[in-house]
Amino acid sequence: MRSGAHTLQRPAAPHLSFGDLMQASGRKGKRVRIAKGQEIITAGNRHDKIYANHDGWLFRYKLLHSGRRQILDFILPGELFGFQAVLPSGALYSVATMTDAVLTAFPADAIDQMFDRSSRLSKALFRCAMREAAILGERLTNAGRRSAYERISHLMLELFVRLSSAGLVQGKSFHMPLTQELIGDALGLTTIHVNRTLRALREDALITIEGKCVTIGDFDALSALSDFEHSYLDGTELRRDRDAVRPVENRSGRPTRLA
Amino acid sequence: MRSGAHTLQRPAAPHLSFGDLMQASGRKGKRVRIAKGQEIITAGNRHDKIYANHDGWLFRYKLLHSGRRQILDFILPGELFGFQAVLPSGALYSVATMTDAVLTAFPADAIDQMFDRSSRLSKALFRCAMREAAILGERLTNAGRRSAYERISHLMLELFVRLSSAGLVQGKSFHMPLTQELIGDALGLTTIHVNRTLRALREDALITIEGKCVTIGDFDALSALSDFEHSYLDGTELRRDRDAVRPVENRSGRPTRLA
DNA sequence: CGCGGAATTGACGCACTTCAACACGTGTGG
DNA sequence: CCACACGTGTTGAAGTGCGTCAATTCCGCG
């Protein structure tokens, strides 16, 4: 079912759909391909686009003067990003691709349009921002008050749930293009300690990672030990409609660089 | 100047004022006094009110099954809270007072009113949520990638800046009703280590805490060592107008308990 | 085949925690 | 009025989770 028309009947939790954004932007969204390792948004700069991620993984991050990096969040297929970059003070953190990715870039004023034209979409945008805050709150709790073992468990469960709402899990497994370095930078750990902790989780038959494939051995045990409670992820992701997340037909094409 | 009338001329960054909320709620806001140590919002429960904090300090927090506590943020005079508690999935974290406080409670549908009636207010709410996410991002970076020395420096600078935009600093000093335990729970440290680190900061003449009064010894040095960059706090706090933050006349009255 | 990024493992060090005591101020009840 | 409890701050000694440094192996890819 398409969204955008019969939405006022929906009681609560209106999702934001790709079509909504397309419409609000006057169909000005432009689809682009980005190679892995490209920076889309740079901390401190103002940007005039917001993005929908169709395919690929990205991450938001900050660099400290010491060279350390903190990853704030991962951007999975079906999610929006770039709202904060249009603030007058400039982007608070950078965004980069970790795999080849397919995005749609919308002019930033599409956001203004949405606020001006539809209270339903305004609420959906607000929910988007609230969800981002909720995820960051969980990450903070991770870094502040959980052991490496608990942190990794929690992150894997979160990815599992977020990916399943995008239809990207198979049984108890999912594809995860994260290196141990990226996991460490997201959780405030070193690569080496991530490696040791993953071994422990594997030996305990809780989480197994083979190549880029993660398998959840015991969801309930992991939830219990890491205080995972999935309600903070509920129902506010970008609504998947026909255009939002679809497999890209022409995988051989050269990725585009952003202007 | 009052807000609410001539807002479209304002280029960007519209603030949210207490008066806006009052108006959107049909003047249904109720002023209440709360004693220190009271829980206003309970994680997991749904609530039907949002709050403006006039006077006093509150904090958002989560409890883990192990008993550990993570404080996500402090709520200072002049700030709003409670948006997340009206989500259908229930509050993601609890909110409690750490001092006696004076709040105004608005019915939650005042939010809906604002979205339905004014795109200016919708944008302001969105900015509120973005600011919350920005603060959480900084906290995450704190906990994940900074030493105790850097974390405490960063937090004190953040409080200094946030309180100055509420007019609550005197020179290089401000009143801070935080115990060392609360600081530790906000930064992911133990009380004992907070104590030792504060001593180090005092010996280095960077930060001095006497009783509840914090003095910033060297703002620039602290900013440099902790990567503090205040733009993430800019311009989206609750706008102070005549009603928002005012000294309470009758301090002797017994604080009210919430129903 | 050879290169470079990623994973793995070991030895060692340190930042922070844990456990334990004690000091200090404040409020409260006998 | 003192005794006592209690919350908060302070300090010491010892333990540990995680970081740092260093080397080796594995693997995808041009």
Side-chain angles (χ1 to χ4, degrees):
Chain A
M1 85 185 176
R2 304 258 334 156
S3 63
H6 59 309
T7 49
L8 291 176
Q9 294 82 330
R10 294 268 222 72
H15 292 247
L16 202 54
S17 86
F18 175 79
D20 291 330
L21 256 173
M22 237 340 172
Q23 206 170 322
S25 70
R27 317 206 82 75
K28 293 221 189 67
K30 275 226 281 271
R31 183 169 285 237
V32 291
R33 278 167 170 289
I34 317 283
K36 72 184 285 188
Q38 299 297 305
E39 194 174 82
I40 314 278
I41 290 173
T42 305
N45 290 7
R46 280 200 68 180
H47 292 259
D48 58 354
K49 299 217 179 322
I50 58 169
Y51 299 90
N53 175 26
H54 300 281
D55 188 59
W57 286 44
L58 300 87
F59 61 103
R60 311 177 214 264
Y61 66 98
K62 288 168 78 71
L63 291 177
L64 306 189
H65 73 275
S66 59
R68 287 170 291 189
R69 177 173 68 176
Q70 177 67 48
I71 292 178
L72 301 173
D73 194 13
F74 299 110
I75 298 166
L76 308 183
E79 297 179 337
L80 301 176
F81 67 97
F83 300 119
Q84 47 96 33
V86 304
L87 294 179
S89 47
L92 304 167
Y93 38 80
S94 305
V95 174
T97 53
M98 43 188 283
T99 67
D100 290 353
V102 180
L103 312 177
T104 300
F106 297 94
D109 55 20
I111 294 285
D112 270 303
Q113 306 286 333
M114 289 167 83
F115 277 115
D116 291 335
R117 292 215 271 249
S118 159
S119 68
R120 179 183 71 85
L121 296 182
S122 303
K123 291 175 196 174
L125 281 167
F126 184 67
R127 278 163 177 287
C128 255
M130 299 270 288
R131 179 185 193 243
E132 188 180 319
I135 290 176
L136 287 170
E138 281 299 327
R139 287 281 152 73
L140 171 56
T141 307
N142 247 0
R145 285 297 183 220
R146 289 198 262 252
S147 68
Y149 197 84
E150 296 166 327
R151 290 183 215 190
I152 293 185
S153 301
H154 196 279
L155 176 62
M156 292 302 140
L157 292 179
E158 183 187 307
L159 292 176
F160 184 76
V161 169
R162 284 169 68 180
L163 287 169
S164 36
S165 80
L168 293 174
V169 311
Q170 296 87 36
K172 301 198 154 303
S173 301
F174 58 91
H175 174 82
M176 181 190 73
L178 295 180
T179 63
Q180 293 179 356
E181 185 185 8
L182 287 164
I183 295 173
D185 281 345
L187 299 178
L189 298 168
T190 57
T191 307
I192 295 167
H193 202 64
V194 169
N195 185 291
R196 291 194 238 267
T197 307
L198 283 175
R199 173 155 52 81
L201 284 162
R202 188 185 332 122
E203 285 166 2
D204 297 345
L206 293 173
I207 297 173
T208 309
I209 302 186
E210 288 161 322
K212 298 191 184 317
C213 176
V214 178
T215 303
I216 303 294
D218 188 337
F219 189 95
D220 293 337
L222 288 167
S223 298
L225 80 88
S226 71
D227 275 291
F228 181 72
E229 205 274 310
H230 66 290
S231 68
Y232 70 100
L233 298 169
D234 278 355
T236 46
E237 69 279 5
L238 178 62
R239 162 87 160 295
R240 292 186 303 125
D241 55 21
R242 213 164 286 109
D243 295 323
V245 185
R246 82 176 157 202
V248 178
E249 316 76 3
N250 176 14
R251 280 226 172 251
S252 59
R254 281 287 89 203
T256 331
R257 311 257 155 166
L258 270 196
Chain B
M1 85 187 179
R2 304 267 320 165
S3 63
H6 59 310
T7 50
L8 290 176
Q9 293 84 329
R10 294 268 222 72
H15 292 247
L16 201 55
S17 87
F18 175 78
D20 290 330
L21 255 174
M22 239 335 176
Q23 206 169 320
S25 70
R27 318 206 83 74
K28 292 221 189 67
K30 275 225 281 270
R31 183 170 285 237
V32 291
R33 278 167 170 286
I34 317 282
K36 71 184 285 190
Q38 299 297 304
E39 194 174 82
I40 314 278
I41 290 174
T42 305
N45 291 6
R46 280 200 68 180
H47 292 259
D48 58 355
K49 300 216 179 323
I50 58 170
Y51 299 90
N53 175 26
H54 300 279
D55 189 59
W57 286 45
L58 299 88
F59 61 102
R60 310 177 214 265
Y61 66 98
K62 287 168 78 74
L63 291 177
L64 305 189
H65 73 277
S66 59
R68 286 170 292 189
R69 178 172 67 174
Q70 177 66 48
I71 292 179
L72 301 174
D73 194 13
F74 299 111
I75 298 165
L76 309 184
E79 297 180 337
L80 300 176
F81 67 97
F83 300 120
Q84 47 97 32
V86 304
L87 294 179
S89 48
L92 303 167
Y93 40 78
S94 305
V95 174
T97 54
M98 43 189 282
T99 66
D100 291 352
V102 180
L103 313 176
T104 299
F106 297 94
D109 55 19
I111 295 285
D112 270 304
Q113 307 285 333
M114 290 168 82
F115 278 116
D116 291 337
R117 290 215 272 249
S118 159
S119 68
R120 179 185 70 86
L121 296 180
S122 303
K123 290 175 197 175
L125 281 166
F126 184 67
R127 277 163 178 287
C128 254
M130 299 270 289
R131 179 184 193 246
E132 188 181 320
I135 290 176
L136 287 171
E138 281 299 328
R139 288 281 151 73
L140 171 56
T141 307
N142 247 358
R145 285 293 183 225
R146 289 199 261 250
S147 69
Y149 197 83
E150 296 167 325
R151 290 183 216 189
I152 294 184
S153 301
H154 195 278
L155 176 62
M156 292 303 139
L157 291 179
E158 183 187 307
L159 292 176
F160 183 77
V161 169
R162 283 169 68 181
L163 288 169
S164 37
S165 79
L168 293 174
V169 311
Q170 296 86 35
K172 300 196 155 302
S173 300
F174 59 91
H175 174 82
M176 181 189 73
L178 294 180
T179 63
Q180 293 179 355
E181 185 185 9
L182 287 163
I183 296 173
D185 280 346
L187 299 178
L189 298 168
T190 57
T191 307
I192 295 167
H193 201 63
V194 169
N195 184 291
R196 290 194 235 270
T197 308
L198 284 175
R199 173 154 51 83
L201 283 162
R202 187 184 336 121
E203 285 166 2
D204 297 345
L206 293 173
I207 297 173
T208 309
I209 302 186
E210 288 159 323
K212 297 191 184 316
C213 177
V214 179
T215 304
I216 303 294
D218 189 336
F219 189 95
D220 293 338
L222 287 166
S223 298
L225 80 88
S226 70
D227 274 292
F228 181 72
E229 205 273 312
H230 67 289
S231 69
Y232 72 100
L233 297 170
D234 279 353
T236 47
E237 70 278 7
L238 178 62
R239 160 87 162 296
R240 292 187 303 125
D241 56 20
R242 212 164 289 108
D243 296 323
V245 184
R246 83 175 159 205
V248 178
E249 315 77 4
N250 176 16
R251 281 224 171 253
S252 59
R254 283 286 91 203
T256 332
R257 313 255 154 168
L258 269 196

